[in-house]
């Protein structure tokens, strides 16, 4: 299932790096995914003490008119053991080696510089009350031959790694960066950067020249192969699973970044977008996008349904809205509030003088007021409203300041449908295939299915797959023999059946 250009069973590769077992899942797909925004590379990672946090990402950007892949890792540790690692090993690890190489290229009298660096390290150790590092020239390769090999491998691939230390912060930190042209990047660059990140872990942990602290540990670079329990829940959907909406996904990733870095937002006085209106035809994934945004941020998800607001008694709807927003002001965790089918809650507020128009105006007016005060009092809440009929919603209600972001979610085009089909099949493969049981045949071609299904939405695609799954299961149950994997003919027939109604 690869000749059509859509990889439905992602490749995985397991290698040993610095004593750790590292699995790279769909490396090529990860490097391509940067087109929709930065990609987190380390998942569910537990590192040895004193390492507290490791973030490893890749993104694409344009530098001097050239598109490049930029790898960026940030490591944070607890004091004081981290300081020992930085002073004792850091001077001879890749960061120190790289510094020495560059100093040597600029200054023939390198010995004077290196000796000065050694004195600085010794003085730093004395002030911290730590044992000073053993006397050794900066970047002496014999002290950490493994680190030297890691650095050389990265430089030979053209990564040009850069290292940084922040020893004096409350939480000592280290950065590792590497850049390579997007037209040159390969999974080998990803492996080399993973090795550099693990080497930085060794430095912060004060590892010996022979790697020990990572021995026996396992890490996944990329998206892990999802367990069935997680995939079975629609609440666990992520932006990575959204197909056919690259621009919308990129915008949602930007929103997630703003919520993950509140200190940066505060320093610039920047107000994060907190109101999002999603509009478009039914079945295009508006509700799924709201859930995916909550998961991307690590936020709670609250869905407010129409019956929770509308009340047949005069004044009841207004009271319900006030109560919902009163509770929202007390949320102490980042929260995404979804008002689905928003037009059924807040219809167009006209100027009519009859009782019905006045009631609608009252509901809309209360909603406006509550939105304004909510954003002022609780910056950790995002309000997402979805509608199939944006023309039915009062324009003043969705103006900027309340709903800063308004995104059309259209029915997918042919390439979008192919991406949606591919992602849904990959989810089913990860959830259900086991040794000895193959769910989809090798001839399945998402591109051809997309061409056969103009006008179908993501919800329609899911219904096509449900039908073929049910048909296979029923055949096997009634005949008592394996039904065989789902083929391209099975899917063509299901698409035609759905189109016939």
């Amino acid at each position: 299932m690869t000749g059509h250009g859509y990889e439905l069973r992602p490749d995985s590769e397991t290698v040993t790096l610095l004593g750790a077992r590292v699995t790279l899942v769909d490396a090529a797909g990860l490097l391509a995914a940067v087109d929709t925004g930065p990609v987190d590379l380390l998942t569910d990672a537990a590192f040895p003490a004193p390492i507290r946090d490791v973030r490893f990402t890749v993104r694409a950007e344009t530098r001097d008119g050239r598109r490049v892949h930029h790898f960026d890792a940030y490591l944070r540790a607890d004091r004081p053991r981290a300081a020992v690692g930085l002073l004792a090993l850091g001077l001879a690890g890749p960061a120190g080696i790289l510094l020495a190489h560059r100093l040597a290229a600029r200054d023939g009298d390198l010995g004077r510089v290196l000796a000065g660096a050694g004195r600085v390290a010794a003085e730093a150790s004395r002030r911290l009350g730590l044992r000073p590092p053993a006397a050794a020239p900066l970047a002496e390769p014999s002290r950490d031959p493994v680190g030297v090999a890691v650095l050389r491998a990265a430089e030979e691939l053209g990564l040009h790694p850069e290292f940084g230390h922040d020893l004096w912060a409350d939480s000592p930190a280290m950065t590792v960066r590497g850049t390579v042209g997007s037209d040159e990047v390969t999974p080998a660059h990803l492996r080399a950067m993973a090795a550099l990140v693990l080497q930085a872990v060794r430095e912060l942990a004060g590892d010996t020249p022979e790697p020990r602290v990572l021995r026996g540990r396992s890490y996944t670079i990329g998206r892990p192969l999802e367990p069935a329990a997680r995939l079975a829940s629609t609440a666990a959907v992520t932006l990575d699973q959204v197909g056919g909406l690259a621009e919308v996904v990129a915008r949602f990733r930007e929103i997630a970044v703003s919520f993950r870095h509140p200190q940066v937002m505060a320093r610039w006085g920047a107000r994060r977008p907190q109101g999002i209106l999603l509009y478009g035809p039914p079945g295009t994934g508006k509700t799924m996008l709201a859930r995916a945004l909550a998961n991307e941020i690590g936020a709670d998800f609250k869905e407010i349904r129409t019956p929770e607001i509308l009340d047949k008694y005069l004044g009841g709807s207004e009271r319900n809205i006030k109560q919902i927003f009163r509770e929202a002001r007390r949320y102490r965790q980042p929260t995404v509030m979804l008002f689905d089918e928003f037009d059924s809650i807040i219809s167009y507020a006209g100027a009519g003088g009859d009782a019905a128009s006045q009631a609608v105006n009252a509901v809309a007016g209360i909603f406006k007021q509550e939105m304004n005060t909510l954003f002022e009092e609780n910056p950790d809440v995002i309000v997402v409203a979805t509608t199939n009929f944006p023309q039915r919603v009062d324009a003043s209600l969705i103006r900027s300041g309340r709903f800063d972001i308004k995104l059309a979610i259209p029915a997918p085009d042919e390439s979008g449908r192919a991406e949606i089909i591919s992602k849904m099949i990959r989810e089913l493969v990860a959830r259900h295939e086991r040794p000895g049981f193959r769910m989809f045949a090798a001839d399945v071609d998402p591109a051809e299915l997309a061409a056969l299904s103009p006008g179908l939405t993501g919800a329609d695609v899911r219904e096509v797959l449900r039908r073929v799954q049910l048909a296979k299961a029923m055949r096997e149950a009634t005949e008592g023999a394996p039904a065989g994997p789902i083929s391209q003919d099975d899917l063509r027939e299901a698409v035609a059946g759905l189109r016939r109604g």
Side-chain angles (χ1 to χ4, degrees), residues 21 200 230 412:
R21 188 172 184 268
R230 176 176 170 81

Side-chain angles (χ1 to χ4, degrees), residues 152-205:
R152 285 177 178 166
E155 291 190 322
E156 287 173 2
L157 287 170
L159 271 169
H160 309 300
E162 299 178 359
F163 300 83
H165 287 154
D166 186 1
L167 179 61
W168 308 111
D170 291 337
S171 299
M174 187 171 183
T175 58
V176 185
R177 296 186 174 91
T179 302
V180 65
S182 296
D183 55 349
E184 303 168 0
V185 70
T186 67
H189 293 93
L190 184 56
R191 286 193 297 272
M193 276 303 304
L196 288 169
V197 172
L198 294 179
Q199 173 61 22
V201 169
R202 291 186 59 222
E203 290 199 34
L204 278 172

Side-chain angles (χ1 to χ4, degrees), residues 308-309 311-326 362-363 366 370:
E308 296 178 49
I309 292 181
D311 193 308
K312 65 180 180 180
Y313 296 106
L314 185 64
S317 299
E318 294 93 313
R319 285 193 297 273
N320 292 339
I321 290 175
K322 288 182 178 180
Q323 179 60 32
I324 288 168
F325 279 92
R326 187 179 300 117
V363 170
I366 292 296
E370 295 294 334

